Amino acid sequence: MYHFYDFKIMKIIIAGAGEVGFHLAKLLSYESQEITLIDPNKESLSHAETHLDIRVIHGDATSIAILKEARINNCELFIAVTSSETTNITVCVLAKQLGAKQTIARISNTEFIHNKDEIGFTQFGIDELISPEALAAAEIELALRQTTFNDTYEFENGALVMAGLTLSKTASFVGKSVKEAADIFPEIHFVPIAIQRAGTQYAIIPRGDTKFKRGDNVVFITSEGGDEELCRLTGRTNREVKNVMILGGTQIGYKTARDLSNKGFNVKLFEKDKERAFEIADALPNVLVIHSDGRNVDILDEESISDMDAFIGVRTNFETNIMACLIAKSKGVKKTIALVENMDYFELSQSIGIDTLVNKKLLAANSIFRYIRRGDVVAMTKLSNLNAELLEFEVKKSSIVCNKYIKDIDFPRSAIVGGVIRNGVGMIALGSFKIEEGDRVVVCCLLQSIKGVEKLFL
């Protein structure tokens, strides 16, 4: 567990101005954090300096002189997200020795994450390891398990699950208020925490008198069994996925194919580079690897695309992923997932017919953002394309919320408790629920209320 320092502005240094580093710098600068970005590529830095209110330093982050120029001794958080795993590990070790309080390294070898306690990375000076590719592969796997929903996130290995879906006319609570729906369906294991009205880009936090409307994109928190109840009440079925087709032998494609095949899925993977295709085929004997571009409709038909339960596009060309998913949809594939770069696509995903979009920059940012939130934040995720965050706080004895009923806590109007995890068990927590020390509380809040919510858990 990491504790936060009680100040408004954090001094953050980011090594690496690539897609993940730039995106992080952009998001953090929006929050008025004091950001320094280091990169040896002048062009990348020029773009960042022109578009963001940050300080940039041209140079190699493994240089002690460069780190000192960045004022590493006053750094609260050092983030290494260059394309080189070795560089990231090295600079984090140097940064910690030179005075950085916390360090995060981006890595590609997920063995490091699985064995981080055994290896003891914290002894070297690395507080956290993240792999955007592994996060994306995990996101894809969760989307395949929850096929009904267009946006999902797990807290504590599924003790509570965030599930987003668009309400159709078959949903039995369309036209009813949140309170009316709760009265009709007592003992439910889900609660709505955010609603995006059709045609808008902003979230509203539902209250008792908020009415559900057809076309609403509603985000729910569910405890065990809640996903099945949601399917039943919205007239949907959570289809089992068995046969999966993947376009692209990228790191994400490889990790996804490996993880799915290890769990009994039938996986076909298209890779246009011959050498890479043979490399994956040797490493993953249970995956059928096809040396082909994968955009050729005739070849897709030959490989029985219409028999697939899911199609996943994870090529480095994001437009290709979208087009391939649309082809798969036209062939009757029920679940399509596309890796994308442009955040604007999240707005369009439902209208263009793609079920789930995955953005590794956003996933990496979510993983890192909890380090700048105050209070004991265990996990967090930003709601796709919405002005809201989901934060999981661990309740301390000193927290304002400790030993209080939810109805007696002065929560901001633009925030809501979604659920509580106690001793590993997820529970939907309503007004009469009493929060105790050690509970993990999941809160959904609009951006303007984050500071007010954080104070409740200090």
Side-chain angles (χ1 to χ4, degrees):
M1 174 57 55
Y2 297 96
H3 297 276
F4 291 71
Y5 302 89
D6 194 10
F7 49 71
K8 289 183 179 178
I9 297 176
M10 287 184 77
K11 295 177 178 65
I12 301 171
I13 299 173
I14 301 172
E19 57 176 27
V20 174
F22 178 83
H23 185 67
L24 270 172
K26 181 171 74 172
L27 292 178
L28 292 168
S29 68
Y30 287 166
E31 299 216 349
S32 302
Q33 304 296 339
E34 190 178 309
I35 310 298
T36 300
L37 184 62
I38 304 172
D39 199 278
N41 186 310
K42 278 188 176 180
E43 193 175 326
S44 299
L45 284 181
S46 175
H47 181 67
E49 189 173 30
T50 304
H51 292 82
L52 306 176
D53 183 20
I54 63 173
R55 179 183 178 217
V56 302
I57 296 177
H58 175 240
D60 184 347
T62 59
S63 162
I64 292 173
I66 291 290
L67 290 175
K68 285 184 175 179
E69 184 184 342
R71 298 193 284 272
I72 190 70
N73 59 312
N74 292 322
C75 173
E76 272 91 25
L77 180 61
F78 183 90
I79 306 166
V81 285
T82 76
S83 57
S84 166
E85 176 178 78
T86 306
T87 298
N88 295 336
I89 290 172
T90 303
V91 295
C92 279
V93 172
L94 290 173
K96 199 59 171 268
Q97 291 298 316
L98 292 169
K101 290 186 173 67
Q102 288 185 339
T103 62
I104 301 174
R106 172 187 179 173
I107 53 100
S108 54
N109 183 355
T110 50
E111 280 188 332
F112 288 155
I113 293 176
H114 298 321
N115 299 286
K116 66 180 181 180
D117 293 333
E118 184 181 341
I119 296 171
F121 279 97
T122 52
Q123 295 170 28
F124 305 143
I126 303 171
D127 295 306
E128 188 64 276
L129 300 168
I130 64 160
S131 166
E133 293 77 20
L135 290 169
E139 180 94 346
I140 289 167
E141 186 182 334
L142 178 58
L144 293 181
R145 283 192 276 120
Q146 299 284 359
T147 56
T148 299
F149 309 112
N150 51 40
D151 198 8
T152 51
Y153 186 85
E154 284 189 336
F155 293 93
E156 304 297 310
N157 297 314
L160 291 175
V161 177
M162 179 196 84
L165 54 76
T166 303
L167 298 184
S168 65
K169 61 182 180 182
T170 58
S172 53
F173 42 79
V174 164
K176 296 180 174 63
S177 69
V178 171
K179 187 177 186 310
E180 287 170 341
D183 290 340
I184 296 168
F185 310 113
E187 300 300 316
I188 56 172
H189 298 87
F190 63 85
V191 63
I193 56 167
I195 297 176
Q196 179 189 20
R197 298 293 190 200
T200 70
Q201 293 181 33
Y202 299 101
I204 59 172
I205 300 297
R207 296 293 165 189
D209 58 354
T210 305
K211 285 201 171 184
F212 294 107
K213 297 180 181 179
R214 180 182 175 184
D216 281 352
N217 183 27
V218 186
V219 180
F220 296 91
I221 288 290
T222 69
S223 57
E224 187 177 356
D227 54 343
E228 295 167 11
E229 290 173 355
L230 266 179
C231 286
R232 194 164 61 249
L233 295 173
T234 55
R236 302 181 180 216
T237 53
N238 199 24
R239 301 179 196 85
E240 183 185 6
V241 172
K242 195 69 180 172
N243 301 311
V244 179
M245 191 173 277
I246 300 173
L247 176 66
T250 56
Q251 280 194 60
I252 295 173
Y254 172 83
K255 285 179 168 61
T256 302
R258 180 196 63 195
D259 295 347
L260 293 179
S261 65
N262 286 343
K263 292 179 180 177
F265 289 80
N266 301 320
V267 181
K268 290 183 181 182
L269 185 146
F270 286 93
E271 172 51 47
K272 65 176 182 176
D273 182 85
K274 188 175 182 180
E275 189 176 331
R276 177 63 174 164
F278 276 108
E279 185 184 316
I280 295 172
D282 287 341
L284 304 177
N286 293 327
V287 174
L288 178 58
V289 181
I290 302 153
H291 173 227
S292 169
D293 188 300
R295 289 179 296 177
N296 185 306
V297 177
D298 291 336
I299 292 175
L300 290 172
D301 283 334
E302 281 179 28
E303 294 301 330
S304 308
I305 187 170
S306 58
D307 293 335
M308 294 295 118
D309 300 311
F311 183 94
I312 305 164
V314 287
R315 289 265 294 269
T316 52
N317 185 308
F318 305 109
E319 283 74 18
T320 295
N321 297 335
I322 289 173
M323 290 306 300
C325 281
L326 293 177
I327 292 170
K329 270 290 181 189
S330 73
K331 297 291 181 180
V333 179
K334 299 297 184 187
K335 184 73 175 180
T336 53
I337 302 171
L339 180 72
V340 297
E341 159 87 2
N342 192 328
M343 300 297 291
D344 294 338
Y345 287 137
F346 279 89
E347 232 178 287
L348 304 170
S349 63
Q350 297 305 304
S351 61
I352 62 178
I354 296 174
D355 300 305
T356 301
L357 297 180
V358 174
N359 184 307
K360 65 179 182 181
K361 296 185 305 185
L362 182 63
L363 294 171
N366 286 347
S367 186
I368 290 168
F369 246 71
R370 65 190 178 95
Y371 289 87
I372 69 162
R373 295 284 174 244
R374 297 168 69 224
D376 280 345
V377 178
V378 184
M380 73 149 286
T381 183
K382 289 178 177 290
L383 300 185
S384 297
N385 197 44
L386 293 178
N387 56 322
E389 288 183 10
L390 262 178
L391 295 157
E392 180 187 356
F393 293 95
E394 183 164 348
V395 178
K396 296 183 291 189
K397 194 173 184 177
S398 59
S399 301
I400 291 173
V401 300
C402 190
N403 295 320
K404 287 190 177 177
Y405 294 100
I406 290 175
K407 62 184 178 184
D408 297 330
I409 300 169
D410 188 20
F411 265 91
R413 289 286 297 170
S414 52
I416 187 172
V417 172
V420 174
I421 300 169
R422 181 175 293 167
N423 300 321
V425 178
M427 296 170 279
I428 299 304
L430 303 177
S432 58
F433 188 93
K434 188 178 183 180
I435 295 174
E436 298 177 0
E437 182 183 356
D439 283 351
R440 296 194 170 195
V441 181
V442 175
V443 181
C444 180
C445 46
L446 302 189
L447 301 187
Q448 67 265 28
S449 62
I450 288 173
K451 285 184 170 58
V453 171
E454 287 172 341
K455 289 176 182 175
L456 297 172
F457 291 90
L458 289 175

